[in-house]
Amino acid sequence: DDDGVTNGNDSWYRPLERLLLPWTRLRDGLYIDSKLVSAVQNFDAGTMVNKNGVYRLLNGELLQTTVEGPFSWNGNCDPPNSKVVCNSKRKPSSVCAFRPTVATFTVGPFKFDQPIPEELPFDQTPIRDLPFFKFIHVDDKVAVAMGRSGSVALWTRMVDS
């Protein structure tokens, strides 16, 4: 169980894993110390582009990985003041849906972009077929949302530098 006591289902290595590895295994997930990994998700309301990535791994910048693509908030996928009309048939809600269209991998000075194919244009894809977050709480310091899989995400606001 999660209090450190082993039971018949735990392997012999479970106590060693808790002491030596940089993560904690709880139920169905792995929880990694924020001093070891820095992950950032950016929702740019000006362009309606989402960028999500891991920027610091093991307190270094040798390896970075990101995904980037359009997002919609409450069914709207048009940037503010846009003259482009989104033909979305989505109903307004507190849902932020997104679709990665490019994955970027950076190893040291080398950067590799990999396009991610899409079957339908983003604005014509039903939300049930996209990754999304249903926001539970948002204020000026924190946002809490539930993902399509049922997982919970927590973000803190970062000041633009």
Side-chain angles (χ1 to χ4, degrees), residues 98-123:
F98 54 96
R99 173 189 280 147
T101 56
V102 65
T104 301
F105 305 95
T106 305
V107 180
F110 305 103
K111 184 176 175 179
F112 309 93
D113 289 333
Q114 179 64 47
I116 301 171
E118 55 186 315
E119 293 179 23
L120 287 173
F122 175 70
D123 64 343

Side-chain angles (χ1 to χ4, degrees), residues 3 7 10-11 23 37 55 59 65 72 82 86 96-97 104 114 121 124-125 141:
D3 63 4
N7 61 33
D10 283 336
S11 259
W23 58 75
V37 174
Y55 294 91
N59 209 17
T65 181
S72 70
S82 172
C86 176
C96 176
T104 301
Q114 179 64 47
Q124 295 174 13
T125 304
K141 295 181 182 177

Side-chain angles (χ1 to χ4, degrees), residues 16-85:
L16 290 175
E17 180 182 63
R18 292 180 182 185
L19 291 172
L20 301 175
L21 297 178
W23 58 75
T24 302
R25 189 181 306 264
L26 295 174
R27 297 189 188 220
D28 295 329
L30 290 177
Y31 299 86
I32 300 174
D33 187 335
S34 62
K35 295 175 193 146
L36 300 174
V37 174
S38 176
V40 176
Q41 186 151 11
N42 179 4
F43 298 97
D44 186 335
T47 61
M48 298 304 283
V49 171
N50 167 267
K51 187 171 185 179
N52 184 6
V54 173
Y55 294 91
R56 296 179 62 81
L57 185 59
L58 300 176
N59 209 17
E61 296 181 7
L62 179 65
L63 175 67
Q64 296 180 1
T65 181
T66 61
V67 291
E68 186 172 339
F71 77 95
S72 70
W73 183 258
N74 291 335
N76 182 9
C77 54
D78 299 323
N81 304 320
S82 172
K83 299 204 186 311
V84 177
V85 175

